[in-house]
Amino acid sequence: MKFRGKSEQQRLEAHQKDLDARRSFMDFETSIELPDGRVFFARTNGQPIFSEDNLFLGYRGTGTDITSQKEAELETKRLEEHLQQAQKMETLGTLAGGIAHDFNNTLTPIIGTVQLMLQKATAGGKEHERLERISRAAFRGANLVKRILSFSRQDAHDRSDIEIGPIVNETVNLISSTAPTTIDIRLRIDPQCANIQGDATQVHQLIMNLCTNALQAMEDGGGVLEVELENFTVDTMFARRSQGLEEGPFQRLRVSDTGCGMDDETKSRIFDPFFTTKSKTDGTGLGLATVHGVITSHKGHIDVYSEPGKGTTFNVYFPAIADHSNIEGDKNLGQMGGDERLMFVDDEMENTVVADEILSGLGYAVTTFTDSEAALEEFKSRPSEFDAVITDQTMPNMTGDVLAAKLREVRSDIPIIMVTGYSAKVSRENAKSAGINEFLMKPLISETLDNAIRTALA
């Protein structure tokens, strides 16, 4: 038997002083790790007994088994830590949503204007090259916003029925081609694994982030990276301990390394955005934050086990599905442009100017508004003269979803396309359920916008 932990040792030393002074003791608590790995907790009261020649003979007193009580206290503490982490991520998510909305609104006219200029610039020329650089930088900004929304669980990615095994296999093969020879990579995929409802790109990114972190943890001394995928059933006890999971079939992805490991302080912060133990040139600190957001948006769960010098294991749980029918994705009708009459509503003047030029260039007749109430009045006065309405969501006086409802009161069959830089109120799913034909995230790209129009009008 051995006593556990530094605090335990300190209490034993204090207890020894009581013995030396021949004082009685009360409510002395300790934990003992038994040979079979179980931990026994006890609370004792007693009086030390000595012989006439001052030899310590033992104790006279009582001992109480408090193992169940201590396990309950430890479980409560763990749940409190999970709750604190969830509240922290929720707060950060709210901040991220506001940043995403403003940044996407800023990027929309930049990307739109550059696209218009690229159409007129001579391919291969200096001006074309400069515009391409601006375009690449703007899209990098747009991708950064997507990553921020991913970690904050507020992304609007499509979900479909996907087979996760091939994604794991492909990602690990890609990792293996660049991994140091000092690292042994072991892969095991259960061939009977069920499908999940998810976004393949996000799942690939999640696996890549976890594997990359594992490799970096072993880059100095080498080691073993193990990646496993298997069916897993969440029972009542596991669901209760894992906050938010429902009972049923899951896919468990395990990524384990034998690297440097983490202490408790580092482990408590690994999912914080921009927290990193790497140098400034080696990472942004968004990797595990993005992982957390992807898992939460997929209604999954992640557990982390790590000790300094003993490596790290991530267990990721995705809800499994039995039905393998694919969800219908975006339709690509192949047609560019049209001659329909469109109403475009956005409170940002720069966005309406660029949208007008893009859509007019595609052949559409466009009427733009920066005031949603004025747009509604115009629609009421001549509802039959518009073939479709494109509206922003976040606007003063009247938001896009309210405008859409009022437009439908005037004309129930009007196709409506919702656009947003970010909205906590409206998502792709509830927009569809409210009768919105298409839902787009800013920044707008001419092909994506045109495809949404053609789909809504089909």
Side-chain angles (χ1 to χ4, degrees), residues 115-128:
Q115 284 185 315
L116 290 168
M117 296 176 71
L118 279 169
Q119 293 173 7
K120 299 179 181 179
T122 303
K126 284 290 184 183
E127 182 179 354
H128 193 279

Side-chain angles (χ1 to χ4, degrees), residues 156-181:
H157 289 265
D158 290 326
R159 298 283 183 262
S160 61
D161 182 350
I162 61 174
E163 189 178 355
I164 191 172
I167 301 174
V168 175
N169 187 66
E170 174 190 344
T171 308
V172 173
N173 286 337
L174 181 62
I175 286 286
S176 300
S177 64
T178 58
T181 57

Side-chain angles (χ1 to χ4, degrees), residues 407-426:
L407 293 172
R408 285 279 167 80
E409 289 176 3
V410 178
R411 184 179 147 198
S412 61
D413 65 337
I414 183 69
I416 299 174
I417 299 168
M418 177 77 73
V419 177
T420 183
Y422 164 72
S423 172
K425 183 179 180 181
V426 178

Side-chain angles (χ1 to χ4, degrees), residues 406-449:
K406 291 183 178 295
L407 293 172
R408 285 279 167 80
E409 289 176 3
V410 178
R411 184 179 147 198
S412 61
D413 65 337
I414 183 69
I416 299 174
I417 299 168
M418 177 77 73
V419 177
T420 183
Y422 164 72
S423 172
K425 183 179 180 181
V426 178
S427 66
R428 185 183 305 276
E429 289 74 21
N430 59 32
K432 289 283 188 181
S433 64
I436 303 297
N437 298 76
E438 294 295 314
F439 183 88
L440 298 177
M441 288 290 293
K442 295 179 181 179
L444 294 177
I445 303 169
S446 57
E447 292 83 359
T448 304
L449 179 57

Side-chain angles (χ1 to χ4, degrees), residues 181-201:
T181 57
T182 56
I183 296 177
D184 180 17
I185 299 179
R186 303 171 186 174
L187 173 64
R188 188 182 70 81
I189 299 176
D190 184 344
Q192 302 301 318
C193 280
N195 287 15
I196 69 168
Q197 193 83 171
D199 180 276
T201 301

